[in-house]
Amino acid sequence: MTGLGATPERVARGGIVDTVMIEDGWRKPVRVHRNLMAWPVDRLRNRKMLTERQHEAATWYREQYERAGLTQRVVASMNVPVDGGRRGTEPTEAQWAARRKWLAAREVLPRPIRAPFEAMVIDADDASSVGANEGYMGARAATAALVLLRAGCDIVADYLRISKNVSQ
């Protein structure tokens, strides 16, 4: 899976779309488009509420989840392979490898942080709604969720050994 991601130049242009190539080894590559500005983690980074290191950790976590084929998909034809397996249901070796990486990183996250962290990183839920789900109201909801997101990103970044000298 290759893509340039949200470089400062691309972010400066506004509502950019990232094109990612997914190659599973037995069929032609698939292009996936995602609006990088729609992801709450990107917005928080752009507002300087997350460091580049934290953003890199969150991006890696989400990409491993997506590579593992764990995201829900809607397909128009039941004959189209969905998960990259030959019959559309068997995960490929690349998906198993991504799943193992994701699960290993997930295990280092303390249980109380996991659900809100994944809601923002994987499900792209807004911080205020995640904080409300955690029992906070008003401005405190977003603040509480942001604290949990930052803590989760720092834990994953430490697990991945991302340098703390990454430009802030």
Side-chain angles (χ1 to χ4, degrees):
M1 183 171 181
T2 59
L4 297 175
T7 63
E9 295 81 19
R10 295 176 84 196
V11 170
R13 285 187 275 161
I16 58 176
V17 175
D18 187 28
T19 302
V20 180
M21 295 296 290
I22 299 174
E23 297 185 35
D24 64 13
W26 71 275
R27 62 180 177 158
K28 66 181 183 176
V30 177
R31 273 191 203 281
V32 176
H33 299 284
R34 67 179 175 196
N35 183 344
L36 293 171
M37 298 306 290
W39 191 32
V41 174
D42 284 331
R43 288 194 304 267
L44 291 169
R45 192 261 328 258
N46 293 341
R47 291 170 44 199
K48 308 288 187 212
M49 298 176 88
L50 287 179
T51 65
E52 288 298 323
R53 180 177 189 260
Q54 292 168 331
H55 184 266
E56 185 178 337
T59 301
W60 179 89
Y61 193 88
R62 182 179 185 187
E63 285 177 356
Q64 294 309 310
Y65 185 85
E66 290 174 351
R67 286 180 182 171
L70 298 171
T71 56
Q72 293 183 9
R73 300 179 187 186
V74 178
V75 292
S77 171
M78 297 307 285
N79 296 326
V80 176
V82 179
D83 296 320
R86 287 178 179 78
R87 291 189 299 268
T89 57
E90 299 171 8
T92 65
E93 285 299 317
Q95 288 172 315
W96 279 116
R99 187 175 296 190
R100 283 190 294 272
K101 289 177 187 177
W102 174 73
L103 287 172
R106 188 175 196 264
E107 283 300 312
V108 301
L109 289 169
R111 285 193 182 271
I113 292 177
R114 263 186 221 163
F117 176 79
E118 289 181 351
M120 288 180 279
V121 172
I122 294 172
D123 300 331
D125 290 348
D126 190 67
S128 58
S129 65
V130 171
N133 291 342
E134 294 298 310
Y136 294 92
M137 295 179 4
R140 288 186 176 173
T143 302
L146 183 58
V147 168
L148 294 175
L149 175 64
R150 285 179 180 158
C153 287
D154 285 336
I155 291 167
V156 172
D158 289 344
Y159 171 76
L160 295 173
R161 297 184 179 147
I162 298 173
S163 172
K164 293 185 179 183
N165 296 328
V166 173
S167 64
Q168 307 298 323

